[in-house]
Amino acid sequence: MPRFSIVVPVYKVPAYLGECLDSVLGQDFGDFEVIGVDDCSPDVCGEILDQYAANDARVRAVHLPENVGLGNARNAGLAHAGGDYILFLDSDDVLLPGSLSAMAERLDAADSPDILVYDYARSYWDGRLVRNSLARHLHEDGPASFSLADRPELLNLLQVAWNKAYRREFVEAAGLLFPAGYYEDAPWTYCAMAAAESLAVLDRVCVHYRQRREGGNILSTVSRKHFDAFDQYDRVFAYLDSRPELDRWRGPLFRKMIDHYLTILERPGRLPEEAKAEFFHRAAHDYRRRIPAGFERPAGRDGYKFAMLERDSYALMTGSATAVRTRQVVKTKARQAVKGSKKRAMGLFYRSQQHTDLDENLALFSAYWSRSVSCNPAAIDAELARRAPHIRRVWAVRPDLMDSVPRGVRAVPLGSRDFWTVAARAKYLVNNVNFSDRLVKRPGQIHLQTHHGTPLKKMGLDQREYPISTSMNFDDLLRRCDRWDYSLSSNAHSTRVWERVYPSRYETLETGYPRNDALVNASAADVLAARVELGLSEDTTALLYMPTHRDYEKSFRPRLDLARIASELGPDTVLLVRGHYFYKPSPQVEELRATGRIIDVSAHPRVESLYLAADALVTDYSSAMFDYALLDRPIVVFADDWEIYSTVRGVYFDLLSEAPGAVARSQDELLDVLAGGAWRGAEADRRRAAFRRRFCDFDDGRAAERVVRKVFLGDDREIPVTPLADRPHVPSPAELAGTVRVPSRTENRVPVYVPERERADEPAYVPERLVTAEAGYAAEPDPVAETAYASEHELTAEPALAEDAPEPELVAETAYAEEPELAAESWFAPEPAFTAEPLPAPEPVPAAEFAYAELREEERAEEEPDEGPDDEPDARDAHIDADAEESAPEISVPAWARAEPFAPSAPLDADSFFGPPPTRAPQERAVAAPVSEALAAYSELFPQSGHGMSIPRQPVSADRAGHDVAEDRTDDRPAARGLPLPPLSGADEPVTAPEPPSAETA
């Protein structure tokens, strides 16, 4: 007999039936039969079934003499089913590739449970895919097989028959059949779930549930047929009455019944208006006669509705609903009015600031929609502090995250008056995504777009071919790109992609990514310190697992059974797991975490430390692989859903054939790769070498220096890129230990691992201090707001005003190393006239220390689109002193989680940003812009407090009054401003520009 019998009831779907059957017959698992039931469809559906049956012996066509409805058509298919498991598939839906093989594998792992529950996504006519919002209930943590009592939340899933595989012998023994009616799935689903002795789940989208534009769902029609729900729940409770052993489920199913009644009653497009009162009274009757002993009403508004049903008070129910709607409308309109007034006042203020002079020595930085101080902008900031300390650096940070800004970093709240002042006056604008559309680039301003990753998935204009992956307005995207003056690239592949998908007049700088300087310049001491920080002993193999974000999944869920992997690889292997949030707890996982076998590093502030500490990287489609490849260490690609990802998102190359190492398509294959040594074998080395030649072009450890010299100092002299073969080798942990470690594989055991690394205190590391470098930076992790299928991750704009920004999830404060206080003179002194010093060519410039705060967000559907490839690791430079102690940290509290957080940033004042107004010769002036009126209007409406930045008024020159602030590409850089240029390494003589201006005119 076949493994699966797939029942497909057919009625009036000639446009979709072929696609449905093709999706089944095209599966890579062939042990199945398809039973197509023609429910006397009045079109060509029966002929289509016959044609498929004639061409494929696995298809059987059953023709009913009369139309009997969906439930009885399924029963007819059941009568012909002979497979071990029965699946139902509606004839306008599709089964995704690889689904049957995944089901078979999961059923085997769960020892043939009664029911296997799998996931689905709604497929809309306009191309959108939206995954089941309750997919979190399908996590695969814990035992593969369990009872409903262990996970009763599965009853909250949509009560449909087609998201489950049913063991045929169980169906027959339980006496399950579909009733006729509108809601035939309710009694089938609830009775089957309650009667099943063993359940299993498959955390995978297997079905696309079609949502037709013209309708097609009979439940969305206005009709009295919705009264059928009462008959269906009579059948549910009659089934419970016949099986006393199921009595424990009366309470949960009573709750589901009342919830269903209220949904029908309240949802538009279900009941005729004149039938709602009758439906309410029928529901109240069922409430009173079926309420189980000891039932407690839910809290809040739902509880109020339950109480109204219990009292059978329809008038009170409708009256309260009207009052709630009215109150909501009033509150919404009031909020909108206040918000609009504030925006208009802020707009007036910003326009007034655009008529002031640019500050030639002011730079505005932002990263990841102003959520942190991180990535390439932070690396540039640190290098700028070293090479051009006269340029003042200011960061835009979301108001709700200002307290997380490290001490010493100058920051202004995004959308505040201070922010718009700096945005209007700063000479330099630096971001790894786009600034708000409200930001107008003035003549003379220089916009540097750093990006934040190497593209594997389709980006920019290329996403037009993949509408499922984006809802972007491409005209708006191009307008943002037109503000760029420079675009950074880390390899030739990125250059080609960026210039094609973001077509504009900017200049591409093939400098490498500044954030990666920390990896290329790392030493053996850095590697050892990174491992000591995590408590990794010398003989431990550390595998860093970094899965990526998926546009078609609403939230992150692990695709690996961590407990199983840790158990089978043995006690000498530790898994470093970096996800958006950690796996749901299970006894096995908790035991492994307690012994140090699994370490959650999702909140670790420095991803480069994790790279340095890890023996190998395990990832799927994350661009972390491009950065990790710089270390020339093994990379394993776990591509279990490559077909779905590449189809939905689009990719630039076939990762399976051009991977940077070994490839595994399933968890079993991954275990074989890791335990068998293929992860570091000759073939993996060959693949990685080819990958490095292709994607590690420009990252030679001097990227930040190139950017600062070119963009900020006007130095056009080229710094040659060090060839890949000539770059210094960063030793791996195995090389430092003098051994080659291969994980051992043990079967069916969870060993208790007690590392020999107990100690009381963490060693105090003293990072390198560079002249004028500011305090360490807090950071943003991989910029992957968790989004629905229809979410967008692209170079879209960040929120314009503070009040527009969505509320984030607050995370625990991240620990940072202590930084010394900066003297006030370092900010307020006049620009120094520094003397150029020759820099020897072979010596890479050490990067300033960074520390980064991890910020993670949940369920950010379509609110904060991502600029670059998903799950980019931030550049986090952290050079740790080579003389650090070699004693090991405590396991339970890692080093990076114990340090004291930074204090909030110091208040700002106008003079520290801009200095005194410039002195200029008298000249004829046009009518001044209405600065005073704008300031007065804004201050009267919204008095400001907190940062205390008082902006001095400045006279408006005739050439600026009423000037159009359209984009300008003036190449007005500091080379002509009297500032000495640091010499290139190996230069014969320092190159010195004219004398700097005096303090009065600086």
Side-chain angles (χ1 to χ4, degrees):
M1 65 179 66
R3 183 63 164 158
F4 298 111
S5 292
I6 304 174
V7 177
V8 183
V10 179
Y11 186 74
K12 297 175 103 173
V13 286
Y16 307 110
L17 180 56
E19 183 182 1
C20 172
L21 296 175
D22 289 341
S23 73
V24 179
L25 299 178
Q27 293 287 312
D28 57 1
F29 183 92
D31 189 15
F32 63 84
E33 64 177 355
V34 178
I35 304 170
V37 182
D38 172 19
D39 191 16
C40 200
S41 185
D43 44 36
V44 297
C45 286
E47 299 173 16
I48 295 174
L49 277 179
D50 290 337
Q51 182 179 357
Y52 273 87
N55 294 334
D56 195 315
R58 295 173 297 180
V59 180
R60 179 189 307 179
V62 178
H63 298 278
L64 301 182
E66 61 181 359
N67 179 256
V68 295
L70 179 60
N72 285 323
R74 286 173 174 168
N75 291 336
L78 275 175
H80 292 84
D84 295 333
Y85 280 84
I86 299 170
L87 281 69
F88 299 99
L89 182 65
D90 286 355
S91 49
D92 57 348
D93 295 340
V94 295
L95 194 65
L96 269 63
S99 295
L100 290 184
S101 57
M103 293 180 199
E105 179 181 348
R106 189 63 179 170
L107 289 171
D108 291 340
D111 195 21
S112 301
D114 291 337
I115 299 177
L116 172 69
V117 186
Y118 45 86
D119 206 3
Y120 67 92
R122 297 176 187 269
S123 173
Y124 289 86
W125 59 271
D126 59 1
R128 288 180 296 130
L129 289 174
V130 180
R131 189 169 182 177
N132 165 30
S133 61
L134 298 178
R136 62 184 180 276
H137 295 324
L138 296 177
H139 65 85
E140 296 178 5
D141 295 346
S145 179
F146 51 86
S147 68
L148 184 62
D150 297 325
R151 294 174 64 171
E153 67 272 13
L154 292 178
L155 287 176
N156 294 329
L157 298 174
L158 188 64
Q159 65 269 28
V160 292
W162 44 258
N163 66 341
K164 304 172 185 70
Y166 307 86
R167 190 166 59 85
R168 183 171 56 85
E169 294 177 353
F170 157 72
V171 171
E172 294 171 353
L176 296 175
L177 286 173
F178 287 91
Y182 249 33
Y183 293 98
E184 73 288 328
D185 276 347
W188 170 277
T189 299
Y190 291 139
C191 294
M193 293 291 285
E197 295 182 359
S198 58
L199 301 172
V201 293
L202 175 60
D203 189 5
R204 176 191 177 109
V205 172
C206 295
V207 175
H208 277 177
Y209 176 28
R210 190 182 300 274
Q211 308 293 299
R212 300 192 220 169
R213 183 171 183 266
E214 74 282 8
N217 185 349
I218 61 174
L219 299 183
S220 298
T221 56
V222 178
S223 169
R224 286 186 59 88
K225 291 183 179 181
H226 293 283
F227 279 76
D228 173 68
F230 299 115
D231 294 335
Q232 302 298 359
Y233 281 100
D234 283 344
R235 295 185 175 97
V236 171
F237 284 93
Y239 189 82
L240 296 183
D241 293 340
S242 67
R243 294 174 175 257
E245 68 275 13
L246 303 182
D247 196 62
R248 63 179 299 179
W249 297 111
R250 289 185 180 275
L253 293 181
F254 173 80
R255 171 69 188 272
K256 299 305 298 181
M257 177 187 74
I258 300 303
D259 285 340
H260 197 173
Y261 289 169
L262 290 172
T263 298
I264 296 173
L265 184 65
E266 296 177 333
R267 184 161 296 177
R270 294 286 181 96
L271 292 170
E273 196 63 35
E274 64 276 8
K276 288 185 176 180
E278 180 186 353
F279 188 93
F280 181 90
H281 294 308
R282 285 282 302 273
H285 174 71
D286 272 12
Y287 188 106
R288 291 194 297 272
R289 74 187 179 104
R290 298 225 181 268
I291 184 170
F295 177 77
E296 294 184 5
R297 293 194 299 266
R301 295 178 58 187
D302 288 342
Y304 179 82
K305 296 173 185 177
F306 275 55
M308 294 303 100
L309 277 175
E310 188 173 6
R311 299 176 185 178
D312 195 11
S313 178
Y314 181 66
L316 190 56
M317 176 87 165
T318 56
S320 64
T322 301
V324 168
R325 285 194 297 268
T326 302
R327 184 167 60 250
Q328 289 175 339
V329 169
V330 171
K331 290 172 65 177
T332 299
K333 289 185 176 181
R335 283 195 302 266
Q336 290 174 346
V338 172
K339 190 175 180 180
S341 299
K342 190 170 184 178
K343 280 186 176 181
R344 286 190 294 272
M346 191 69 78
L348 285 172
F349 175 79
Y350 177 47
R351 284 194 292 273
S352 71
Q353 291 299 304
Q354 293 172 9
H355 294 281
T356 61
D357 290 329
L358 286 179
D359 189 321
E360 300 290 322
N361 295 319
L362 181 63
L364 175 63
F365 289 82
S366 180
Y368 299 127
W369 305 277
S370 299
R371 292 185 297 180
S372 65
V373 178
S374 62
C375 192
N376 290 318
I380 294 169
D381 179 316
E383 187 70 9
L384 194 60
R386 288 172 44 81
R387 298 187 178 276
H390 60 281
I391 297 179
R392 299 178 301 282
R393 290 127 26 236
V394 182
W395 281 81
V397 178
R398 282 170 41 163
D400 52 331
L401 300 175
M402 285 293 290
D403 289 342
S404 66
V405 175
R407 185 178 59 238
V409 174
R410 303 289 173 168
V412 292
L414 179 68
S416 67
R417 184 165 60 180
D418 293 350
F419 165 78
W420 288 115
T421 300
V422 178
R425 297 187 182 187
K427 173 72 173 183
Y428 304 98
L429 307 172
V430 183
N431 207 332
N432 68 352
V433 294
N434 266 313
F435 285 101
S436 163
D437 288 343
R438 293 172 179 264
L439 188 146
V440 177
K441 183 185 174 189
R442 296 177 57 185
Q445 283 186 319
I446 295 175
H447 189 308
L448 172 60
Q449 172 58 248
T450 72
H451 304 280
H452 55 264
T454 295
L456 167 62
K457 66 183 180 182
K458 294 287 186 177
M459 301 297 297
L461 296 185
D462 284 349
Q463 286 187 265
R464 291 177 298 183
E465 303 173 10
Y466 298 87
I468 294 176
S469 70
T470 182
S471 57
M472 176 194 317
N473 184 312
F474 292 99
D475 291 334
D476 290 344
L477 170 66
L478 293 178
R479 279 192 289 271
R480 297 177 196 121
C481 296
D482 287 341
R483 296 187 300 202
W484 305 353
D485 291 286
Y486 299 104
S487 168
L488 299 190
S489 173
S490 60
N491 48 60
H493 165 74
S494 295
T495 299
R496 292 191 297 269
V497 172
W498 296 153
E499 291 184 351
R500 185 179 69 254
V501 304
Y502 305 128
S504 191
R505 297 172 297 165
Y506 55 80
E507 178 183 351
T508 296
L509 301 182
E510 293 183 325
T511 58
Y513 277 163
R515 71 184 188 187
N516 286 336
D517 290 351
L519 295 177
V520 181
N521 296 328
S523 65
D526 296 327
V527 176
L528 291 174
R531 290 178 67 86
V532 169
E533 183 185 27
L534 295 172
L536 301 174
S537 61
E538 186 178 90
D539 59 348
T540 296
T541 298
L543 303 178
L544 176 59
Y545 175 47
M546 292 184 64
T548 191
H549 163 78
R550 286 158 172 77
D551 296 275
Y552 49 88
E553 291 184 350
K554 188 170 184 179
S555 61
F556 170 78
R557 290 177 313 284
R559 310 186 73 84
L560 292 177
D561 184 344
L562 293 183
R564 179 189 171 194
I565 291 177
S567 175
E568 296 200 19
L569 291 182
D572 295 332
T573 301
V574 171
L575 302 181
L576 309 176
V577 182
R578 189 175 180 86
H580 301 296
Y581 43 87
F582 199 61
Y583 301 82
K584 297 181 184 298
S586 70
Q588 270 192 318
V589 171
E590 287 303 312
E591 180 180 356
L592 292 170
R593 290 180 64 184
T595 59
R597 297 286 309 289
I598 293 177
I599 302 177
D600 175 15
V601 292
S602 298
H604 194 286
R606 298 178 301 278
V607 75
E608 84 284 350
S609 292
L610 304 179
Y611 290 157
L612 294 175
D615 291 90
L617 172 70
V618 179
T619 186
D620 35 34
Y621 321 120
S622 170
S623 68
M625 70 180 76
F626 298 97
D627 297 328
Y628 192 80
L630 293 168
L631 296 174
D632 197 16
R633 297 182 191 173
I635 301 173
V636 180
V637 175
F638 176 57
D640 64 324
D641 63 340
W642 170 251
E643 290 79 10
I644 300 175
Y645 185 87
S646 58
T647 300
V648 173
R649 192 59 172 89
V651 293
Y652 286 112
F653 60 91
D654 182 10
L655 183 62
L656 302 188
S657 61
E658 303 176 67
V663 177
R665 299 301 309 277
S666 67
Q667 181 161 286
D668 287 338
E669 286 186 18
L670 179 63
L671 284 167
D672 290 339
V673 166
L674 295 175
W679 62 288
R680 60 175 308 278
E683 177 61 20
D685 292 346
R686 183 193 64 78
R687 284 179 167 230
R688 186 173 68 255
F691 190 87
R692 280 165 50 82
R693 286 193 298 271
R694 181 177 179 185
F695 296 110
C696 297
D697 303 22
F698 312 137
D699 285 316
D700 64 350
R702 302 185 69 181
E705 178 187 356
R706 292 187 183 95
V707 173
V708 170
R709 287 180 177 275
K710 172 69 174 179
V711 177
F712 296 88
L713 299 179
D715 189 346
D716 291 322
R717 292 171 297 172
E718 181 180 357
I719 301 177
V721 175
T722 304
L724 187 61
D726 297 337
R727 297 173 196 170
H729 173 65
V730 179
S732 68
E735 291 170 334
L736 293 177
T739 60
V740 176
R741 301 186 301 277
V742 179
S744 62
R745 184 166 183 174
T746 58
E747 299 296 337
N748 301 320
R749 67 188 183 92
V750 183
V752 178
Y753 175 52
V754 183
E756 298 178 1
R757 50 175 186 251
E758 300 294 336
R759 66 186 178 86
D761 297 313
E762 221 23 60
Y765 301 120
V766 182
E768 292 183 4
R769 297 300 179 198
L770 302 172
V771 178
T772 70
E774 294 199 345
Y777 299 110
E780 170 65 14
D782 305 334
V784 284
E786 303 191 1
T787 54
Y789 268 83
S791 68
E792 170 52 30
H793 287 274
E794 196 44 74
L795 275 170
T796 47
E798 62 188 8
L801 297 176
E803 62 270 23
D804 295 333
E807 286 296 324
E809 290 282 339
L810 296 181
V811 299
E813 293 181 327
T814 308
Y816 302 92
E818 278 296 327
E819 295 281 351
E821 295 283 355
L822 293 178
E825 289 75 18
S826 64
W827 278 96
F828 306 138
E831 297 173 2
F834 53 90
T835 304
E837 296 182 7
L839 301 176
E843 295 292 331
V845 178
E849 178 198 1
F850 295 138
Y852 294 86
E854 184 85 0
L855 304 173
R856 297 182 300 164
E857 314 239 352
E858 298 181 3
E859 309 292 325
R860 310 293 299 176
E862 301 180 307
E863 290 185 339
E864 293 186 347
D866 180 62
E867 181 270 331
D870 49 24
D871 277 316
E872 268 68 47
D874 303 331
R876 304 158 167 65
D877 299 336
H879 293 278
I880 304 177
D881 187 66
D883 298 326
E885 300 178 24
E886 294 191 4
S887 56
E890 297 176 359
I891 301 171
S892 58
V893 183
W896 44 267
R898 289 204 299 265
E900 292 297 323
F902 279 124
S905 299
L908 303 171
D909 60 82
D911 292 337
S912 67
F913 271 110
F914 308 111
T919 302
R920 291 174 292 182
Q923 54 182 305
E924 183 180 354
R925 303 186 182 279
V927 178
V931 179
S932 57
E933 290 84 346
L935 282 171
Y938 184 86
S939 300
E940 181 179 352
L941 285 172
F942 308 103
Q944 297 285 307
S945 62
H947 285 268
M949 178 196 277
S950 175
I951 309 299
R953 300 182 185 178
Q954 299 197 20
V956 181
S957 61
D959 58 337
R960 291 189 180 275
H963 182 69
D964 185 4
V965 289
E967 294 175 358
D968 184 88
R969 306 193 61 80
T970 303
D971 190 10
D972 183 15
R973 297 173 296 180
R977 296 204 304 272
L979 298 175
L981 300 177
L984 288 174
S985 300
D988 294 334
E989 295 181 0
V991 179
T992 306
E995 289 298 320
S998 63
E1000 288 76 11
T1001 58

